[in-house]
Amino acid sequence: MSSRTVLANAIRALSMDAVQQANSGHPGAPMGMADIAEVLYNDFINHNPTNPSWANRDRFVMSNGHASMLPYSVLHLTGYDLPIEEIKNFRQLHSKTPGHPEYGYAPGVETTTGPLGQGVSNAVGMALAEKVMAAQFNRDGHDIVDHFTYVFLGDGCLMEGISHEVCSLAGTLNLGKLICYYDDNGISIDGDVVGWFADDTPKRFESYGWQVIPDVDGHDADAIKAATEAARADLNKPTLICCKTVIGKGAPNKGGGHDVHGAPLGADEIAATREAIGWNYPPFEIPDEVYAGWDAREIGAVAEASWNAKFEAYAEAYPTEAAEFTRRMTGDLPENWETAANDAIKNIAEQAISQATRASSKTALNAFGPLLPEFLGGSADLTPSNNTFFSGSKYINSAHGPEQDFSGNYLSYGVREFGMSAIMNGITLHGGLMPYGATFLMFSEYARNALRMAALMKIRSIFVYTHDSIGLGEDGPTHQAVEQIPTLRMIPNMNVWRACDAVESAVSWKSAIEAKDSPSCLIFSRQGLPHMERDEATLANISKGGYILKDTDGTPDVIVIATGSEVQLAMDAAEQSDKKVRVVSMPSTTEFDKQDAVYKESVLPSAVTARVAVEAAIMDGWYKYVGMNGAVVGMTSFGESAPAEELYEYFGITTKAVLAAIDDVVA
């Protein structure tokens, strides 16, 4: 038995033992891909286990995330701070080794995977970020950004439609430092995939513009190494290496079948596997010579030290660029950010702009964009409608200019809402860039799982949504978002903002930019909206998510809460009502909920139980703020096809309706 096989068998042993102890997990893919991992990590991947965040490390993504015991095993074996106790605690509460690799738990895990197809999508974002950062920072003789992104993926990733979205774009963008290993084992949970997945995968990827290396024996180290060398040699195309493997390789009775995919092998089969692969050690025991064969700490430290020397030379030649690179890779905002951003918001307030908030979003981008060279914007084929191309934007892949210019800061994603969102997550995870991407609010439905993953990972991706309600008008209910805003608010750790004018739009952008540990959804209108007057104190409170926009002398009879385009209705109703009305604009319920009890009580005093909420969306979530005895003016159904003004009248979302609700709750 070769020494390489012995090293690979350590992955097999740890994987089957951890799954067996947890009585839960997927041993088949880790055992089947162990030989590929051994070659990749011992011959190619540039990483330093003692510094998992080294800027120029290669990125590795386990897209078939159910095979999480493979990366956990490799991270443990190569010397990351992932002791054997964590391997033994696989899938247990508060362990660093949850059931799918999760970002922020085990050092060296680059992204959270599990929903199939999103890992490779994140990897496309990482490879794209590498190419953009290289174009922005590298100089002749100083290639400080120069690394590969490696991906393991399986049949499930390729069956999910998102893989088409992102791999098509990766080929178009010539992301040559993206290398994917396809675990072609012919098995999924239901059995042999030939019954439901008969695609000619090599031809599919060739049509995307990828380099495809077919029919590689995934258990032959020499073949894997040769394929990887060929992949690395072509920097003009991403590469798919099609590896023929046996799922559960080494298990004499269950290997090669679907029973080994997602269940423990069982004590008898584990004993038989140990004998079959010559692994004569107890569970979780790794001999010293195997640890020595895997240990990457010394070589990793040497690699990072070599890069550090390059960076020192770069910093001497280009001190401004070096400082900027360091700032951006740490995720810090520019030193002058707070002052400059606040000045920009005050300037927008002074201009008293009345316009659609999608246009106000562009106004904010024009103000903030010059301050943030890390911006990488984009749209899913709706740039003119989303207004996301600001004065400082420069296309990477415009059909109207240079074919490709990766020093740019704006990307046409094509009609790929889900792919765009998952790619953005990969860009964020790579570091050095702050992505924002836009589409119509309705199409957040296509992207929803990527939004959830951004929130789960606590990363700063900025999702921009326009055409936010029945105010979209004639396009009708297929495009009119009515349930999307409430459900976006339900995602834990997601900041959701729906602005009522240019000032709130700018504040929502500032909040998203500063939210380092959470993603944001910025929601803007198609129709024009009036400017709201505010004093300085009121302006300062917008960032708290909910604030008093209009008040009355003494204790109010009623509080009207509104967001977005419906704030105007609340203000008009307050002017016309014979009651003492306080108007609370609540552009972000998620941000308001974070405020302390004293502030929330000052805005929504518990003594005032007469409350009305108004929003052109499904109304259920507003009872949290108005109480079950309060009133909500909103939607209970899908929209219709008609001009926006007619729809607001037809669905009863009007000043008149707010006035009637005020009278009802006061009575």
Side-chain angles (χ1 to χ4, degrees), residues 52 127 140 148 158 188 195 199 216 228 398 406 496 595 609 622:
D140 288 344
F148 286 84
L158 296 180
S188 66
D199 300 14
V216 174
T228 305
S398 173
F406 283 87
V496 181
Q595 304 306 311
T609 58
W622 284 107

Side-chain angles (χ1 to χ4, degrees), residues 226-287:
T228 305
E229 288 171 341
R232 289 166 56 94
D234 188 346
L235 298 182
N236 294 316
K237 294 181 178 181
T239 300
L240 181 73
I241 302 175
C242 301
C243 299
K244 297 290 185 180
T245 64
V246 176
I247 190 170
K249 172 72 172 176
N253 302 305
K254 295 184 177 181
H258 68 95
D259 287 343
V260 77
H261 179 280
L265 294 180
D268 291 344
E269 184 71 359
I270 286 177
T273 303
R274 275 186 152 74
E275 183 177 352
I277 66 175
W279 192 262
N280 301 313
Y281 310 101
F284 302 107
E285 182 176 312
I286 305 294

Side-chain angles (χ1 to χ4, degrees), residues 204-510:
R204 170 184 164 188
F205 276 78
E206 286 171 1
S207 75
Y208 294 153
W210 286 51
Q211 174 185 209
V212 177
I213 303 175
D215 300 319
V216 174
D217 184 343
H219 304 299
D220 182 333
D222 291 337
I224 298 164
K225 184 175 181 179
T228 305
E229 288 171 341
R232 289 166 56 94
D234 188 346
L235 298 182
N236 294 316
K237 294 181 178 181
T239 300
L240 181 73
I241 302 175
C242 301
C243 299
K244 297 290 185 180
T245 64
V246 176
I247 190 170
K249 172 72 172 176
N253 302 305
K254 295 184 177 181
H258 68 95
D259 287 343
V260 77
H261 179 280
L265 294 180
D268 291 344
E269 184 71 359
I270 286 177
T273 303
R274 275 186 152 74
E275 183 177 352
I277 66 175
W279 192 262
N280 301 313
Y281 310 101
F284 302 107
E285 182 176 312
I286 305 294
D288 291 342
E289 59 269 24
V290 173
Y291 274 127
W294 275 104
D295 193 343
R297 287 172 292 187
E298 183 176 348
I299 192 171
V302 169
E304 184 177 357
S306 176
W307 181 83
N308 287 339
K310 285 184 179 180
F311 189 75
E312 288 176 10
Y314 176 82
E316 185 174 346
Y318 304 99
T320 302
E321 290 83 353
E324 178 68 5
F325 178 84
T326 300
R327 177 190 72 79
R328 285 169 55 172
M329 288 304 294
T330 58
D332 294 333
L333 294 173
E335 286 186 8
N336 66 334
W337 163 254
E338 185 68 23
T339 300
N342 287 335
D343 288 346
I345 291 170
K346 290 178 183 177
N347 181 55
I348 291 170
E350 290 169 359
Q351 293 179 50
I353 306 168
S354 294
Q355 61 188 8
T357 51
R358 61 172 175 159
S360 298
S361 172
K362 186 172 182 176
T363 299
L365 283 170
N366 280 324
F368 297 151
L371 306 174
L372 298 168
E374 57 263 54
F375 260 168
L376 181 59
S379 172
D381 203 46
L382 287 168
T383 293
S385 295
N386 297 147
N387 283 311
T388 39
F389 193 87
F390 69 94
S391 59
S393 295
K394 176 184 175 184
Y395 274 109
I396 286 173
N397 60 338
S398 173
H400 307 290
E403 184 177 347
Q404 287 183 347
D405 182 357
F406 283 87
S407 66
N409 62 357
Y410 194 88
L411 185 66
S412 288
Y413 284 94
V415 187
R416 299 181 175 97
E417 297 90 356
F418 191 6
M420 172 183 72
S421 303
I423 287 171
M424 287 167 54
N425 289 343
I427 293 169
T428 303
L429 290 161
H430 177 277
L433 297 165
M434 186 185 299
Y436 65 88
T439 184
F440 288 172
L441 178 57
M442 174 53 62
F443 304 133
S444 65
E445 293 295 325
Y446 285 154
R448 183 60 64 101
N449 203 259
L451 272 61
R452 183 178 187 272
M453 298 302 284
L456 184 66
M457 290 189 282
K458 302 177 182 177
I459 60 174
R460 181 172 47 194
S461 295
I462 303 175
F463 305 104
V464 180
Y465 297 118
T466 67
H467 298 62
D468 67 348
S469 67
I470 58 172
L472 173 62
E474 292 85 346
D475 270 350
T478 61
H479 282 52
Q480 290 167 6
V482 294
E483 76 272 32
Q484 283 65 37
I485 297 171
T487 56
L488 288 172
R489 290 173 179 147
M490 292 171 64
I491 301 174
N493 195 44
M494 177 65 75
N495 295 324
V496 181
W497 287 80
R498 184 175 184 239
C500 77
D501 67 357
V503 179
E504 285 190 359
S505 298
V507 173
S508 68
W509 266 105
K510 182 173 183 286

Side-chain angles (χ1 to χ4, degrees), residues 153-175:
L153 53 83
D155 291 302
C157 294
L158 296 180
M159 283 187 261
E160 290 285 1
I162 191 173
S163 69
H164 164 75
E165 294 184 31
V166 302
C167 293
S168 167
L169 185 59
T172 302
L173 294 175
N174 301 306
L175 300 182

